[in-house]
RNA sequence: GCCGGGGUGGCGUAAUGGUAGCCGCAGCGGUCUUAAAAACCGCAGUCCCAACGGACGUGUGGGUUCGACUCCCACCCCCGGCACCA
């Protein structure tokens, strides 16, 4: 699922030798006393032996499904971004566990897909063996991180035991009416002779692998009818507890526009239908534009213009296929030589075809209102077409897109535009039989066919007699055959077409010879349902158990990156809705809560091989330990904000964890329990409060800062450390540094495991200060301060402030016009002059 | 172009409208050491001043307020998403 073509990072030790990069990577030698390797190994094996993170899914009373986006196991291993995300998600899960929830925290591998396949092609190894190696390496890395993963329930999308059910999902959607076949264009690289995913095409329409100009090719493909749920996908968003940024991205992607379909009469032809969100500007429609590939473009061309228009249409098609987008300032188009008529006035409106109108949106034709639309305006200027202002407020020569009052609009003059004029004119058009209110969306059906090798074969059979028939469920999985030469064929067919044993089969319907569909499905189909699989991962009789699903889903909390805000999360929502409608699920939204984490960047840039700033986490972990590394990542900045910066800062968290163990030596363990001083109690409860408030809000950085403050306070403390101080620290630290927290807890004599303890509660009555510093300002500038008992009343504060010698000097000869007192905070004296 | 999110010391960041810079990194000085590292203690926004102290300071310019990093208006820059979507 990870987007990531993350490439191999150079060793951080190599980089130390490179002077200009050294500032990111000055890793200090280790301190002596803290043996993180021993501590972390000890607890990881203890956790495993005792099954601490295995959840009895069918029995536990307070289920909490803590999900994080599963990684794509690249050849380079987990990168820092993965570690950051998993550390944050795990801290969340551990915190919830200590609130008393039974937290199920699974992880798996999203291992199919074009990235793996391309990488395998590049290095000349087979993806089957490559992925096995990568998964093993990922698993090792994940275990070292010390997250509370339940490894008894894991998934690997390339495992036939998993993709059997991905194929089942496809069949279920198909039978339920959510899958269909259609011809559509796919991106095609003429040099690599292969189909590309959209994201493999760069902004300049070149292939990301070879740089060739990408073209299009029309192929028959499978689509999933996500548009069946467009309105629901949009409407449900407002009720979901998701990061607002994520919801906004989905709203934009769905792209709802409300308007009307309008019919413009044409002499001696059927009317031309357009979609407009601004019917109120219809009196300003001075021309109309059809997309070059609109089905009626040639039909509506005057005979004497036909040759020129046909040539233009052909040229536009060539440019479109070649992926050559017009540059912004030029607006190519040509007149058709015929007119439509304004349905309200009968006025003639010339027809054009132009590339700026797209066939795929609305009706593929528009009424152009150059006075109030920038693109129409640009076209009008270029072809010297009339510009008629119909909404007041236009200044200068551009398009006025804003609001105003209707002018030049006959009986509608004076109405506010767009509203209420939009309603009124639409009603008039509807009344006259020229319009219908209408909503359009940008969302398109989901094409899932991939003419590639590394994915689950689509379980369909093409029979010359029966047509396209589904593979019977009992014949699943349709195994992906091991093909030595898995290079793309160059015909637009999948490499599977090379394998006659795979290709040739019999029709399950008539028993006659038939051929398998040789395409594989989109990797997003694999990940669209994996959260349903986890609780039932060990079941081979069903994709997901009904009871377990009822108990554990929808997912309580989902943590992931906003790079998947649209595709993965939208597809998952669609699949859930479809399965609900088909009676397989009792809910229609899969993720109750979703939080988007930020992105780790370095030197202001995304990590990438070309920038040479990819950091390999293993060396950090082996040198400083997973605990310090987790702490470091979460301490960098606010977890949910994009643009976290990574620097040399691991020293701080590493010192912090080392200091904890030294503090531990100062505890009077075993002997007399020390009473806690008022001062230490205050510091401790302040720390509890801060960490308790900040952790569930994902403000990990400030929670960690609060613990550092408390530790600093303890280090300054002379004499033995009260045991309760370290106990509290062990508990608060458990979500962040799970190994060290266990170690401290054990050495204090606590029962295994610290992760099964209850979270401490802050006592507010112990937190308040007895003495406070009250700042004395003159005209808002600090001039002196008072130290007084907390709660000293305003008049007393004012009296004391005015009595301060330094303040007296400032008052010299001036009149105090006003005094503003903020109790326990500030006294502000406002002087005249 | 449109839509988000951001601009605070050398760096990452922190601040219910009430002492801007907490916490940490890097840096500098010291203690310890034969030495170095580690550890520990201290200094540290900029400018002026010997010092006391003062002026300036949260992207820029305005505004509201006794008081603005915080609220309002306009603009600039960075990051991310979408992009002839009618």
């Amino acid at each position: 699922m990870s987007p990531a073509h993350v490439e191999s990072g150079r060793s951080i030790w190599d980089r130390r030798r490179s002077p200009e990069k050294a500032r990111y990577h000055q890793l200090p030698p280790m301190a002596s006393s803290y043996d993180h390797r021993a501590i972390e190994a000890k607890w990881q094996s203890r956790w495993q032996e005792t099954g601490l993170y295995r959840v009895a899914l069918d029995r536990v009373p307070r289920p909490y499904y803590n999900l994080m986006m599963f990684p794509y196991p690249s050849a380079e291993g987990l990168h820092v971004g993965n570690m950051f995300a998993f550390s944050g998600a795990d801290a969340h899960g551990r915190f919830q566990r200590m609130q008393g929830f039974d937290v199920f925290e699974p992880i798996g591998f999203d291992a199919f897909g074009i990235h793996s396949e391309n990488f395998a092609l590049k290095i000349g190894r087979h993806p089957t063996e490559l992925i096995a190696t990568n998964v093993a390496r990922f698993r090792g890395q994940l275990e070292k991180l010390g997250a509370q993963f339940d490894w008894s329930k894991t998934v690997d999308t390339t495992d036939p035991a998993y993709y059997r059910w991905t194929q089942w999902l496809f069949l279920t959607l198909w039978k339920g009416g959510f899958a269909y076949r259609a011809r559509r264009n796919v991106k095609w690289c003429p040099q690599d002779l292969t189909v590309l995913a959209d994201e493999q095409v760069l902004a300049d329409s070149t292939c990301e692998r070879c740089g060739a100009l990408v073209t299009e090719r029309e192929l028959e493909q499978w689509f999933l009818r996500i548009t069946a749920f467009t309105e629901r996908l949009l409407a449900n968003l407002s009720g979901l507890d998701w990061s607002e940024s994520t919801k906004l991205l989905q709203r934009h992607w769905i792209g709802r526009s409300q308007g009307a379909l309008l019919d413009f009469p044409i002499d001696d032809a059927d009317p031309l239908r357009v979609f407009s969100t601004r019917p109120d500007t219809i009196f300003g429609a001075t021309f109309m534009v059809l997309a070059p590939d609109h089905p009626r473009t040639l039909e509506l061309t005057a005979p004497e213009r036909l040759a020129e228009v046909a040539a233009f249409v052909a040229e536009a098609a060539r440019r479109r296929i070649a992926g050559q987008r017009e540059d912004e300032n030029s607006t190519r188009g040509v007149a058709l030589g015929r007119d439509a008529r304004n349905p309200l006035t009968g006025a003639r409106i010339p027809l054009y075809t132009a590339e700026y109108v797209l066939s795929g949106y609305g009706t593929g034709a528009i009424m152009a209102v150059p006075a109030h639309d920038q693109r129409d305006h640009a076209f009008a200027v270029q072809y010297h077409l009339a510009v008629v202002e119909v909404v007041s407020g236009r200044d200068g020569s551009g398009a006025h897109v804003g609001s105003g009052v209707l002018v030049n609009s006959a009986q509608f003059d004076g109405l506010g535009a767009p509203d209420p004029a939009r309603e009124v004119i639409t009603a008039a058009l509807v009344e006259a039989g020229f319009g219908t209110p209408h909503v359009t969306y940008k969302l398109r059906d989901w094409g899932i066919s991939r003419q590639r090798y590394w994915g689950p074969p689509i379980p369909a059979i093409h029979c010359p007699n029966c047509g396209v028939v589904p593979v019977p469920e009992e014949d699943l999985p349709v195994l992906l055959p091991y093909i030595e030469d898995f290079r793309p064929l160059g015909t637009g067919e999948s490499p599977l077409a090379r394998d006659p044993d795979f290709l040739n089969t019999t029709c399950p319907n008539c028993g006659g010879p038939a051929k398998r569909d040789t395409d594989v499905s989109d990797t997003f189909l694999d990940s669209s349902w994996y959260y349903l699989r986890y609780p039932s991962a060990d079941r081979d009789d069903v994709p997901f158990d009904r009871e377990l699903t009822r108990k554990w889903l929808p997912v309580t909390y989902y943590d992931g990156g906003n790079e998947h805000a649209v595709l993965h999360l939208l597809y998952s929502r669609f699949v859930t809705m479809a399965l609900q409608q088909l009676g397989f699920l009792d809910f229609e939204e899969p993720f109750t809560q979703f939080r988007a984490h930020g992105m780790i960047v370095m030197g202001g840039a995304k990590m990438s091989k070309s920038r040479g700033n990819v950091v390999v986490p293993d060396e950090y972990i082996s040198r400083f330990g997973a605990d310090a590394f987790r702490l470091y990542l979460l301490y960098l900045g606010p977890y949910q904000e994009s643009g976290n910066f990574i620097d040399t800062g691991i020293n701080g968290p590493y010192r912090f964890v080392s200091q904890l163990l030294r503090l531990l030596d100062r505890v009077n363990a075993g002997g007399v329990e020390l009473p806690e001083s008022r001062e230490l109690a205050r510091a401790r409860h302040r720390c509890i409060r801060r960490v308790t408030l900040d952790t569930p809000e994902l403000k990990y950085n400030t929670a960690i800062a609060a613990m550092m403050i408390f530790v600093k306070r303890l280090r300054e403390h002379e004499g033995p450390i009260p045991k309760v101080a370290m106990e509290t620290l062990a508990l608060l630290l458990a979500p962040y540094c799970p190994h060290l927290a266990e170690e401290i807890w054990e050495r204090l004599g606590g029962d295994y495991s610290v992760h099964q303890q209850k979270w401490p509660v802050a006592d507010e009555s112990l937190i308040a200060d007895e003495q406070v510093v009250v700042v004395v300002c003159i005209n808002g500038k600090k001039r002196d301060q008072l130290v007084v008992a907390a709660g000293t009343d305003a008049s007393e504060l004012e009296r004391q402030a005015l009595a301060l010698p330094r303040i007296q000097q400032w008052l010299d000869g001036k009149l105090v016009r006003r005094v503003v007192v903020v109790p326990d905070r500030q006294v502000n004296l406002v002087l005249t002059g």
Side-chain angles (χ1 to χ4, degrees):
Chain A
M1 171 169 313
S2 172
H5 32 94
V6 174
E7 294 98 310
S8 61
R10 259 197 302 157
S11 152
I12 50 183
W13 310 113
D14 291 349
R15 205 172 287 109
R16 287 188 80 183
R17 289 174 218 129
S18 159
E20 74 278 14
K21 281 166 188 151
R23 66 196 154 99
Y24 299 124
H25 290 291
Q26 283 164 1
L27 303 181
M30 283 180 300
S32 45
S33 61
Y34 169 42
D35 187 355
H36 63 264
R37 284 201 188 86
I39 291 173
E40 291 179 4
K42 166 183 164 187
W43 290 107
Q44 281 167 17
S45 60
R46 186 90 177 268
W47 294 334
Q48 202 190 342
E49 287 156 16
T50 56
L52 187 66
Y53 305 133
R54 266 205 307 273
V55 184
L57 294 177
D58 52 341
R59 287 201 301 277
V60 296
R62 294 186 68 194
Y64 190 106
Y65 192 163
N66 187 46
L67 183 68
M68 60 199 84
M69 289 183 177
F70 63 164
Y72 150 66
S74 67
E76 295 79 18
L78 277 172
H79 54 88
V80 176
N82 297 130
M83 291 291 186
F84 168 71
F86 296 149
S87 298
D90 183 57
H92 178 82
R94 288 181 180 278
F95 178 80
Q96 294 300 339
R97 179 174 188 162
M98 293 177 78
Q99 304 303 308
F101 290 103
D102 299 299
V103 177
F104 175 49
E105 189 172 301
I107 194 77
F109 305 99
D110 187 22
F112 267 138
I114 291 179
H115 287 305
S116 313
E117 182 171 345
N118 284 347
F119 186 76
L121 284 168
K122 192 165 135 193
I123 65 165
R125 288 180 63 195
H126 200 276
T128 311
E129 47 175 293
L130 207 57
I131 285 299
T133 316
N134 294 351
V135 166
R137 169 144 185 238
F138 263 62
R139 179 157 176 164
Q141 288 179 297
L142 286 169
E143 283 168 350
K144 284 216 159 71
L145 187 66
Q148 55 173 346
F149 295 131
D150 182 348
W151 285 106
S152 72
K153 305 280 191 305
T154 186
V155 302
D156 169 350
T157 55
T158 64
D159 183 345
Y162 181 88
Y163 72 71
R164 166 190 179 176
W165 299 113
T166 304
Q167 291 171 335
W168 170 89
L169 173 65
F170 171 80
L171 291 178
T172 301
L173 293 173
W174 184 5
K175 290 171 194 165
F178 291 107
Y180 63 94
R181 285 174 69 74
R183 292 189 75 81
R184 207 179 278 179
N185 290 325
V186 292
K187 302 285 188 244
W188 175 261
C189 175
Q191 187 161 318
D192 290 348
L193 300 177
T194 180
V195 168
L196 301 176
D198 285 354
E199 60 269 24
Q200 291 179 286
V201 183
L202 304 180
D204 61 352
S205 297
T206 56
C207 170
E208 75 166 8
R209 284 176 66 206
C210 69
L213 202 57
V214 170
T215 65
E216 283 185 1
R217 198 163 173 150
E218 199 183 61
L219 295 173
E220 176 118 15
Q221 303 181 69
W222 286 101
F223 290 88
L224 297 182
R225 215 180 290 280
I226 190 171
T227 54
F229 295 115
T230 309
E231 265 304 328
R232 225 199 286 181
L233 288 167
L234 187 63
N236 285 4
L237 280 176
S238 59
L240 291 177
D241 179 10
W242 283 23
S243 293
E244 282 303 321
S245 59
T246 313
K247 294 207 273 190
L248 202 63
L249 288 168
Q250 290 213 351
R251 286 198 183 98
H252 286 333
W253 188 262
I254 292 168
R256 183 184 204 270
S257 310
Q258 191 150 14
L261 293 171
L262 306 177
D263 291 318
F264 284 66
I266 297 174
D267 297 348
D268 307 319
D270 290 336
L272 179 63
R273 173 163 285 196
V274 302
F275 174 73
S276 174
T277 55
R278 294 294 303 275
D280 54 300
T281 62
I282 192 168
F283 288 86
T286 53
F287 60 101
M288 302 188 73
V289 187
L290 288 78
D293 51 336
H294 187 286
R296 297 185 66 198
T297 300
L298 295 178
E299 176 210 325
L300 294 177
T301 299
E304 70 276 13
R305 306 273 313 147
L306 202 53
E308 190 186 340
V309 172
F312 176 83
V313 167
E315 179 62 14
R318 193 199 63 72
R319 271 195 295 264
R320 189 177 58 79
I321 288 170
Q324 291 170 346
R325 292 268 298 283
E326 221 178 338
D327 55 68
E328 303 251 325
N329 299 325
S330 114
T331 308
R332 270 189 277 262
V334 60
L336 302 188
R338 292 187 64 175
D339 296 332
R341 289 182 180 276
N342 185 313
L344 294 179
T345 65
R348 289 182 169 277
I349 307 177
L351 296 176
Y352 282 77
T353 182
E355 290 181 317
Y356 82 92
V357 173
L358 309 176
S359 63
Y361 185 80
T363 65
I366 62 159
M367 66 173 202
V369 185
H372 305 289
D373 181 281
Q374 282 179 7
R375 296 150 304 174
D376 297 343
H377 187 265
F379 192 83
V381 167
Q382 189 164 344
Y383 294 95
H384 310 292
L385 298 164
V387 178
V388 176
E389 179 185 47
V390 290
V391 178
S392 67
R394 187 162 173 260
D395 57 340
S397 55
H400 170 57
V401 194
S403 56
V405 168
L406 285 192
V407 294
N408 297 320
S409 298
Q411 70 270 33
F412 302 105
D413 281 357
L415 282 174
D419 298 304
R422 180 154 37 191
E423 289 284 309
V424 174
I425 293 190
T426 301
L429 286 161
V430 171
E431 176 73 15
F434 294 110
T436 329
H438 187 74
V439 175
T440 60
Y441 304 90
K442 290 193 224 173
L443 184 68
R444 289 291 120 85
D445 277 340
W446 174 17
I448 57 150
S449 296
R450 296 289 180 271
Q451 295 73 27
R452 301 295 296 256
Y453 173 66
W454 192 234
I458 292 176
I461 290 169
H462 301 263
C463 171
N465 297 321
C466 310
V468 188
V469 294
V471 171
E473 278 184 30
E474 59 271 23
D475 292 349
L476 298 181
V478 178
L479 287 172
L480 178 67
Y482 185 92
I483 298 179
E484 200 61 51
D485 180 7
F486 59 95
R487 284 173 306 168
L489 246 49
T491 59
E493 280 181 300
S494 154
L496 293 179
R498 261 200 196 101
D499 182 354
D501 293 339
F502 177 83
L503 181 63
N504 297 307
T505 185
T506 53
C507 172
N509 216 19
C510 68
K515 296 201 184 303
R516 288 192 187 279
D517 202 312
T518 54
D519 287 350
V520 299
S521 57
D522 181 7
T523 179
F524 280 112
L525 188 64
D526 306 330
S527 57
S528 71
W529 76 284
Y530 77 112
Y531 49 92
L532 295 172
R533 182 63 182 165
Y534 276 135
S536 310
D538 47 3
R539 293 280 293 273
D540 58 8
D541 55 335
V542 286
F544 42 89
D545 178 82
R546 190 100 205 186
E547 282 308 309
L548 282 179
T549 303
R550 192 167 286 148
K551 180 162 181 168
W552 286 91
L553 284 119
V555 168
T556 320
Y557 176 89
Y558 195 14
D559 180 294
N562 251 349
E563 67 271 21
H564 295 299
V566 173
L567 300 180
H568 162 65
L569 288 172
L570 206 54
Y571 294 153
S572 299
R573 295 180 63 210
F574 156 66
V575 163
T576 301
M577 279 180 197
L579 288 175
Q580 188 250 359
Q581 184 155 318
L582 297 174
F584 291 93
L585 295 174
D586 304 320
F587 52 90
E588 64 176 43
E589 286 291 344
F591 314 122
T592 306
Q593 202 178 32
F594 174 78
R595 291 292 178 271
H597 61 243
M599 191 176 37
I600 292 275
V601 299
M602 200 165 154
K606 245 182 195 168
M607 287 193 194
S608 75
K609 192 180 176 181
S610 56
R611 292 191 184 87
N613 66 351
V614 175
V615 174
V616 180
D618 304 44
E619 295 169 70
Y620 278 92
I621 290 184
S622 89
R623 190 130 181 104
F624 302 99
D627 283 335
F629 190 54
R630 288 167 61 119
L631 208 56
Y632 162 51
L633 292 175
L634 298 181
Y635 185 62
L636 280 176
Y639 183 64
Q640 293 182 88
E641 261 168 47
S642 61
N644 288 292
F645 284 75
I646 195 166
D647 63 358
T648 54
I650 193 166
N651 289 334
Y654 184 77
R655 275 180 203 133
F656 172 75
V657 293
S658 312
Q659 285 161 355
L660 282 171
L661 286 177
R662 267 180 262 130
L663 278 180
L664 195 58
D665 295 336
R666 290 171 53 195
V667 173
N668 246 13
V672 190
E673 192 124 337
L674 276 173
E676 184 182 32
S677 69
R678 183 70 216 276
E679 284 309 307
L680 285 186
R682 183 176 3 252
R684 185 167 66 86
H685 283 279
R686 274 195 181 156
C687 180
I688 295 173
R689 179 174 65 177
R690 193 74 269 151
V691 178
T692 307
L693 291 174
D694 287 351
T695 303
E697 287 179 34
L698 314 185
K699 294 178 184 167
Y700 300 137
N701 54 331
T702 49
I704 293 165
M707 290 188 275
M708 287 176 166
I709 290 168
F710 183 42
V711 164
K712 194 178 194 178
R713 181 72 193 76
L714 289 174
R715 292 199 298 124
E716 287 161 3
H717 179 74
E718 288 180 15
I721 303 286
K723 186 177 168 188
V724 66
M726 293 310 291
E727 282 172 344
T728 300
L729 272 172
L731 294 168
L732 297 181
L733 203 63
Y736 296 92
C737 300
H739 313 86
L740 189 62
E742 286 277 30
E743 184 68 21
I744 294 171
W745 187 251
E746 184 189 55
R747 290 196 203 174
L748 291 169
D751 292 337
Y752 180 77
S753 155
V754 72
H755 301 293
Q756 290 170 303
Q757 305 304 315
K758 273 183 68 180
W759 192 257
V761 177
D763 183 343
E764 290 290 333
S765 70
L766 295 174
I767 285 173
D769 274 310
E770 286 147 357
Q771 292 220 309
V772 291
V773 174
V774 172
V775 173
V776 182
C777 298
I778 290 173
N779 290 336
K781 284 190 203 298
K782 181 190 168 183
R783 294 303 178 193
D784 204 348
Q785 61 184 39
L786 293 165
V787 178
V788 297
T792 302
D793 66 53
S795 56
E796 174 63 15
L797 285 175
E798 179 178 341
R799 193 189 64 72
Q800 289 195 33
L802 287 167
L804 289 167
R806 205 179 288 163
I807 296 301
Q808 284 294 325
Q809 287 172 20
W810 283 94
L811 291 184
D812 181 40
K814 302 252 175 60
L815 193 69
V816 178
R817 206 180 46 173
R818 189 174 162 190
V819 181
V820 181
V821 180
V822 184
D824 290 351
R825 289 277 192 180
Q826 191 184 64
V827 176
N828 191 17
L829 305 172
V830 185
L831 306 189
T832 50

